[in-house]
Amino acid sequence: MNKIKSILQDKLFYLGLVLIAFSLVIHFLVRELVSQTPGSFTYLGVFFVNYVISVVYFLLIIFSRIKPSFFRFKRISHRQFIASLVLFSISCFTINIPISIFSDFVTWTNIYILVIHASLLLFCFEDILPPWGRTVNYFFMGTGVVLTLYFTIYLGPLVGIGFLGSFLFGLPMHLVAPLIMFITFWAVFYRNKRSLKDKISFYTGIIIPIIVLAIFSNEWQKTKNDIHQIRAHILSQSDINLPEWIKLSQELPQSIFSDRIIKGDLMYETDMFGAGDFFNGMELSQDRKQHDPLVTAANAVVGDLNISRSDRLNILRSQYDMRHETGEKLWSGKGLETSSVFTNIQVLADYRLAYTQKVIRIKSIKNNGSMQKEAFYTFHLPEGSVASSLSLWIEGVEEKSRLTTKSKAKKAYTTIVGKERRDPSIMHWQEGNTITVKVFPCTYLEERMFKIGITSPLKYRNDELVLENIFFEGPDTQNAIETTEITFSSDEKLSPLLPGFFEKKDENSYTYHGDYKNYWEVRCNATPISSSLFSFNGSSYQMVEQKPSWGAKSFDNIYLDINKSWTMEEFTSLYQTVKNKNIFVYTDQTIVRMTDSNKNQIFERMSRLNFSLFALNKIVDTEHSLLISKSTVVSPNIQDIESTPFFNEIRTDFSKSRSLINHFSLSDQLSPFLQTMREFQIFNYDHGDIAKLNNLLQQEKFITANTNSQEVFLPNAQAVIIKDSTGIISTQAPDHLLRIYAYNKIMQDYGRQYLTKEEVEEDDFINLANEAFIVTPISSLIVLETIKDYDRFDIGKNKSSLQNASANSSGAVPEPHEWALILIFSFTLIFLYTRK
């Protein structure tokens, strides 16, 4: 009871606890103010409130210990000293927000900091804690010794400045606060005699963080060794046909530490001593790296990985699927968030198509006045989809896009955003069934709004049609509100099956309103395909159901594309099926024949690869050869490797032969490399499990591609779109038939030309892209602020074109001669009526 009474009588200590709670509120308030006003000193005075509190409290406890006679000091209460030290520590972290010595800490470090401060305060109550409570608290105090030691070492070069600059209101003394706290952890623990159990707990708390650092540093060292070995292996090869970063990305093992190791100084501070960053940090920074003590300490202990910045970026794109995060941006997008998403989907079941329209609002959560930001979105589309609309609201008015070549659009956007800083938006085609959209400028003063339109084939699966939602990466969606409306159009009964969060609006419409949802699917009955046509510019387009066509195929050669996605069971089962054939793999830039004696060794080595890149030109006798793959989600894109000897050899050999490669995938999803090659339609492609493959091999049959130049086959929809130029006129079907036809036709012909010629003749394709108004590898959509901007960059108004797709109409546009017939018919009716 006396101990409890002693604590309760320490009024200054409880005042310190109250001030600590108040200082924490101020700290988080300052963080919010800085997030709203980066680059501004408007609220600079608020940053020092916690410093004033800590100084005033420290002076209070000093004066409270002065004896009335002869100004002698009483011994300062350890509780009051700890409260004062915690207040100074909070002041340190508060001032660090605008004046950056440490960048923003990663989440685990923030938790660590809170825990060690809580343990120090809890020590003040050790007299009333149960024995097990004291033991646990001593453990966390031990962990505090390690972290404060790290901070002390990190700030080592600046400690002298701290002492010399103490006359500046004592502010630089913040630099020695970690050192004082480090000493305090030791001093208060040994303030009294401790039991063996307490010492074990305390030293365990010291040892465990050191062990974690040792493990992380060991992983760092292993990664350095792996890099050295991979580089040595590359140099041992006579002809190197791929850049070093691809080999590193392909072979570097992945672990819970590897992403931080590879990201290195791209996303984390790696300089162990903060002296250099202190003076740079005197400016209020906007986009700062994060601070992870494990990364910084391991880099200091083991050394840098010696990988260039560009190679690190390429590795992150190809190994860690970070293409969106590392995408090209002219301005920062930090502080932007997606505030709302409105999705309107028309399911045209009788044409096995869907048109999705998304209207997205962007707001800046950081009040930085006129500071401009760039919103960057990556949309993931269902396979075979094509972008057919883009709009940007400028001063409250919807401005629709124009279509032009990708190079013209990029030049216009870069010039205006990079130099003139006015309103544009741009949409580009990207590999891997994605498109990117950029919107500029985004400021705190107003929300920006843009709209996209996507035409997608529906998947035909077991007599059902499947609609996949289009999702995106971009500004944070955590607080986004979404409204989705789906309308089914058909004369047949569809019996749609939707996720449970949708509500039925009427017979054919469903709606959802709530938080943003990334991915979902909708199913409905498959109906007979409508025979209606769509006509435009003298040609008609019709969709007809067509199952995959099969032809007799006997394969003598089997090529295996092996990587870490394969399992030993799959490989063993497949090998037993095809062991009587010639089996090959592509490894170390050569084709190697697989036999009973080397198969396990080859599989063990290749199954460690993070992804595979098969040299398709090495497949000989394509008529009697089959490529069997199973893909990882990530790999380099063709754009990443198009200038390499590896890909140049593929292009050279493809220019000599136009025969298609027979390709069977054991996975539904292809790697970005294989997916783009498939879109270029160089495969007779099928997918399924090993049982299906075994059945095809036993029956000696395989899928054959449609070679009719006036038709495009939609394998997922199990339909074909036929072009007829005989003059048949009809506008009953939606214009999406032309858009899908044109996209597939361009991808097929462009792909062949891209793979067989040194330069693609864009004029061969841009006219068709303009007619259908679609985004392709050679065409982009762009919105500029004024007509003068379009004229300046020679981006004319699209003529003989479907223009931007719309959710409010089928897009069926009468031909010029149809308009003439309509006018003649109308005048005839008027004439007959007036005569009567």
Side-chain angles (χ1 to χ4, degrees), residues 268-310:
Y268 301 104
E269 286 180 330
T270 54
D271 183 9
M272 183 59 190
F273 302 105
D277 294 333
F278 173 73
F279 297 103
N280 295 333
M282 291 302 290
E283 296 182 4
L284 302 186
S285 58
Q286 301 162 32
D287 288 326
R288 298 187 292 187
K289 298 177 182 179
Q290 287 189 301
H291 189 103
D292 187 328
L294 282 176
V295 174
T296 307
N299 186 73
V301 172
V302 179
D304 189 66
L305 295 181
N306 296 320
I307 302 177
S308 67
R309 176 182 175 84
S310 60

Side-chain angles (χ1 to χ4, degrees), residues 394-436:
I394 300 176
E395 295 182 356
V397 179
E398 179 185 2
E399 299 291 344
K400 295 187 176 183
S401 63
R402 292 186 181 183
L403 184 138
T404 186
T405 62
K406 187 173 185 177
S407 56
K408 279 187 180 180
K410 186 175 181 179
K411 180 181 178 182
Y413 183 85
T414 303
T415 301
I416 292 176
V417 172
K419 298 177 181 179
E420 302 171 13
R421 307 179 186 180
R422 291 186 288 114
D423 292 69
S425 180
I426 194 170
M427 176 190 285
H428 286 312
W429 176 91
Q430 305 291 349
E431 295 180 55
N433 297 316
T434 60
I435 59 168
T436 54

Side-chain angles (χ1 to χ4, degrees), residues 14-34:
Y14 280 99
L15 174 62
L17 294 182
V18 172
L19 292 176
I20 287 171
F22 182 72
S23 292
L24 284 173
V25 172
I26 295 295
H27 173 81
F28 290 113
L29 174 63
V30 168
R31 290 187 66 89
E32 181 64 21
L33 290 174
V34 169

Side-chain angles (χ1 to χ4, degrees), residues 23 35 63 75 119 148 157 162 189 193 229 248 297 356 473 513 536 556 653 662 697 796-797 801 833:
S23 292
S35 70
F63 285 116
R75 183 179 179 182
S119 70
T148 53
F189 178 75
K193 187 176 181 180
Q229 292 175 7
L248 292 173
T356 301
E473 299 173 84
H513 182 76
F536 191 74
D556 299 323
D653 290 347
N662 302 302
L697 293 175
K797 189 172 183 180
S801 172
Y833 178 79

